[in-house]
Amino acid sequence: MKFEVTILGSSSATPVFNRNPTAQLLNCNEKIYLIDCGEGTQHQLIRFGLKASKIDAAFISHLHGDHYFGLIGLLSTMHLNGRIKPFRIFGPAPLKEILEMQFKYSDTVLRYEIEFTATTADVPEVIFENGDMTVETIVLNHRIPTTGFKFTEKKRQRKLLSEKLEADQIPVEYYPLLKRGLNLELPGGKLIVNADYTRDSEEPKSYCYCSDTLADGSYLDSLRDCTMLYHEATFLDELLDRANMTHHTTALQAAQIAKTVGAGKLLIGHFSSRYKTLIPLLEEALTVFENTELAIEGNTYAI
Amino acid sequence: MKFEVTILGSSSATPVFNRNPTAQLLNCNEKIYLIDCGEGTQHQLIRFGLKASKIDAAFISHLHGDHYFGLIGLLSTMHLNGRIKPFRIFGPAPLKEILEMQFKYSDTVLRYEIEFTATTADVPEVIFENGDMTVETIVLNHRIPTTGFKFTEKKRQRKLLSEKLEADQIPVEYYPLLKRGLNLELPGGKLIVNADYTRDSEEPKSYCYCSDTLADGSYLDSLRDCTMLYHEATFLDELLDRANMTHHTTALQAAQIAKTVGAGKLLIGHFSSRYKTLIPLLEEALTVFENTELAIEGNTYAI
C-alpha cells in the first residue's frame, strides 16, 4: 500500500521567500488527505503539479492562520472547478463557522458537500476510519486548542505462499479463507494448516503529525513506535526560552521526543522565518536522533 | 508627486501557474495603499521585494475570495512582525466581522489598531481624504455588493517662476502667498500681480479601479476623464454571454468604456485562468482603444 507524505509548506507563522506556511499531502493507498492548509497551499499544489480535485479530506490542527488560512481559497477553487464529490474536514469547531461566514458573504453555494467533523483537544479520539487506515487525534499543548493526527494503517490479511499452495494443489477457493488466517479441515479429513501456506503481513505503519506544541511530554503515549514522526522544530535549542514562551519546540527537543517514543524516522518542519538555511536545525536534531530529515517543500517521503 | 500602481495579482477567480488573484499597490506621494488582496498577496510582496510594513491602508472592492482572502494573512504577518502603526481598511461591512472572528479564534490581539470604514455600494461616496488625494467609491454592478475606487490627486498650489521672482527681487516671505494665488499690494503701493510670477500647477491625475463588474454603463460618470483606468477584462468578447452571466467584462467592452469616458490610459486585468497567453486580450482591446496595456504582475505603471 502506498503510504507517503508530500510537504507543501514548512514555514512557521509567516511565509518567507522560499518557504510557505504549513501544509502536507498524505497519500494512503491513493486516498489523498491534506494536513493543515496555510495561505498559498493551492498555489503550492499548482507549483508541484498536484491536483486539488483528488483530495478527499482535510485535517486541520488548530486555528492559527499559518495552519488554515489557505483552506477557504482551496475550497472555493474546487467549487469553481466543478467539484461535486463531498469533501471531509476535520478540525476545531469554529472552523465551520469561519468557512460558512465567508461563503455566506460571497453568496457562494458550494456544488459539493462539506462533511465537517469537529475535533476536540481534550483526549485522543478516533475521528476517521476506512478500509485502509485509522486516524486518531493527538492532544498537543499549544496556546489555543490544538491536535496532531496519527494515521495508522490497518493490519493487512496474511500473505499467501503461492509456490507452496500450487505445489500441494490447494484449490483456489480456499485462498480467501487462508488469507483470513483460518485452518481448514476438508471433507475427506485432510487438514490444511494455515501456517504452512501463509505468512504474516507487514506490521501496519503509522504517521504522526505534531504541530504546533510545547515539548512537554504530555502527548508521547500517542506517538509510541510510530513509523514516521513529523514534529515541529520551530527554533534551535539556543532559543529554548522563546520556544517555551510561544509553546513551540526546538530541533533538539523534537529529536529527543523521536528517540523517547522509538520513532522509526523523524521529519522536522515549521521552521522560524529567521533561519535562512535549515542545516543547523538538522544538525542539532542529528546529534540526538540519527534518522532525521528536513521537511523540504515539494519532497515526498515514504512512510 | 509620485503616483503609480504596481500589479501584485492579475488573475480572476482561481490562481494559475504564473498569475495570482487580484491585488495592487498604489503609491501616492509615498503613501502606500493596497487595492484588493487575493490569497498569496503577502507572498507576492516578498517576491517583488516590497515591504508590507509600508502599507498604510487597504481598499477592498468586494467579498469574493479572489479579492480578499489574502488580507487576514497579511494583517497577521504585520502583527507578528511588530507593526504598531494603525492600519486603515475600507471595504464591505461584513469584512470586519470576518476578520474579527478569525482573530478571536486564533486568540490574537493585534499590536496595532485597525481603523475600519465600511463601504456601501449604493451611491459613490468620498471615503478618504488627505493632503494629497481623495478616494471615492465607484458603484459597480457585480453579483454581490461591489465598489471600485477612484483615487484623485488634489490640485497643487501654483508653481513659482523663480527666475522672474529673483530678477524683480520679490521678497521670499511672499512666496507662500503667491503659491496660493494671491495678488499683493505692498505698503508703498507697489502691486505684485500673481500671474506675472506663477503658473498654474499640473492638472490633478486620477486612477480608477474597476473590478469586478458587468459593463452596463451604470458607473461611467465616475470614470470621466480619468488619467488611468484599470478595468477588469476577464474574457475575450467571444465569451460575452459568459461575461454577462457572471457579471464580468470582456476586453473589448473594457476598451469601449475607456474610449467612452475619455480615459488617458487603460490597464486591463483579472484575466480568466483559461487564457494561457494574454496577447489576444490585449489585441482585442487595442482594436478600440490604442493606449491599452496588460496588467502584468510585478510591473509598475506611472499614472
Side-chain angles (χ1 to χ4, degrees), chain B residues 35-104:
Chain B
I35 311 175
D36 280 343
C37 186
E39 182 180 353
T41 294
Q42 61 171 328
H43 300 66
Q44 294 290 83
L45 291 170
I46 295 170
R47 181 175 163 207
F48 299 127
L50 302 164
K51 289 193 188 308
S53 59
K54 292 195 170 171
I55 302 174
D56 295 286
F59 295 84
I60 303 297
S61 64
H62 67 302
L63 296 183
H64 281 153
D66 54 324
H67 294 260
Y68 88 95
F69 281 165
L71 185 60
I72 181 75
L74 180 67
L75 296 175
S76 300
T77 293
M78 291 194 298
H79 163 71
L80 291 167
N81 288 344
R83 184 185 183 109
I84 50 169
K85 189 169 58 162
F87 189 83
R88 299 197 67 165
I89 300 176
F90 302 83
L95 178 56
K96 186 164 183 276
E97 194 183 343
I98 292 169
L99 298 174
E100 284 176 352
M101 179 186 275
Q102 291 181 86
F103 287 130
K104 179 178 95 175

Side-chain angles (χ1 to χ4, degrees), chain B residues 6-243:
Chain B
T6 301
I7 304 302
L8 301 175
S10 66
S11 179
S12 61
T14 60
V16 284
F17 185 70
N18 52 357
R19 295 200 299 273
N20 237 55
T22 300
Q24 304 187 354
L25 215 53
L26 194 71
N27 183 328
C28 302
N29 202 19
E30 299 306 336
K31 300 272 187 221
I32 311 293
Y33 304 111
L34 182 65
I35 311 175
D36 280 343
C37 186
E39 182 180 353
T41 294
Q42 61 171 328
H43 300 66
Q44 294 290 83
L45 291 170
I46 295 170
R47 181 175 163 207
F48 299 127
L50 302 164
K51 289 193 188 308
S53 59
K54 292 195 170 171
I55 302 174
D56 295 286
F59 295 84
I60 303 297
S61 64
H62 67 302
L63 296 183
H64 281 153
D66 54 324
H67 294 260
Y68 88 95
F69 281 165
L71 185 60
I72 181 75
L74 180 67
L75 296 175
S76 300
T77 293
M78 291 194 298
H79 163 71
L80 291 167
N81 288 344
R83 184 185 183 109
I84 50 169
K85 189 169 58 162
F87 189 83
R88 299 197 67 165
I89 300 176
F90 302 83
L95 178 56
K96 186 164 183 276
E97 194 183 343
I98 292 169
L99 298 174
E100 284 176 352
M101 179 186 275
Q102 291 181 86
F103 287 130
K104 179 178 95 175
Y105 288 123
S106 65
D107 198 21
T108 301
V109 179
L110 291 180
R111 292 189 182 89
Y112 61 95
E113 198 179 348
I114 289 181
E115 298 168 355
F116 190 89
T117 302
T119 56
T120 62
D122 304 328
V123 289
E125 286 177 302
V126 173
I127 52 172
F128 179 69
E129 198 172 344
N130 65 11
D132 301 315
M133 196 189 56
T134 302
V135 186
E136 197 176 357
T137 53
I138 302 167
V139 178
L140 300 175
N141 181 356
H142 198 41
R143 306 195 300 277
I144 58 172
T146 303
T147 69
F149 301 102
K150 180 173 190 172
F151 301 81
T152 308
E153 284 182 324
K154 289 203 168 161
K155 179 76 177 168
R156 299 263 137 186
Q157 293 187 316
R158 295 183 66 78
K159 299 288 178 189
L160 298 177
L161 304 173
S162 308
E163 284 186 18
K164 190 84 164 61
L165 287 162
E166 282 164 22
D168 293 356
Q169 297 184 326
I170 306 294
V172 173
E173 59 260 42
Y174 298 140
Y175 286 12
L177 300 170
L178 291 170
K179 282 187 187 173
R180 284 155 55 192
L182 277 67
N183 292 316
L184 306 174
E185 185 178 345
L186 304 192
K190 183 186 172 188
L191 278 178
I192 302 181
V193 179
N194 194 290
D196 293 343
Y197 298 101
T198 70
R199 63 173 173 80
D200 201 9
S201 58
E202 292 79 19
E203 276 307 297
K205 293 173 182 161
S206 59
Y207 178 61
C208 288
Y209 171 85
C210 296
S211 179
D212 307 358
T213 189
L214 185 72
D216 68 352
S218 60
Y219 53 94
L220 297 195
D221 282 346
S222 290
L223 316 182
R224 298 272 169 224
D225 302 322
C226 63
T227 316
M228 186 189 286
L229 169 63
Y230 167 87
H231 203 290
E232 68 124 309
T234 309
F235 302 109
L236 284 170
D237 208 61
E238 66 191 17
L239 290 181
L240 179 60
D241 287 349
R242 179 148 187 85

Side-chain angles (χ1 to χ4, degrees), chain A residues 39-40 42 69 72 97 105-106, chain B residues 39-40 42 69 72 97 105:
Chain A
E39 182 180 354
Q42 61 171 327
F69 281 166
I72 182 75
E97 194 184 343
Y105 288 122
S106 65
Chain B
E39 182 180 353
Q42 61 171 328
F69 281 165
I72 181 75
E97 194 183 343
Y105 288 123

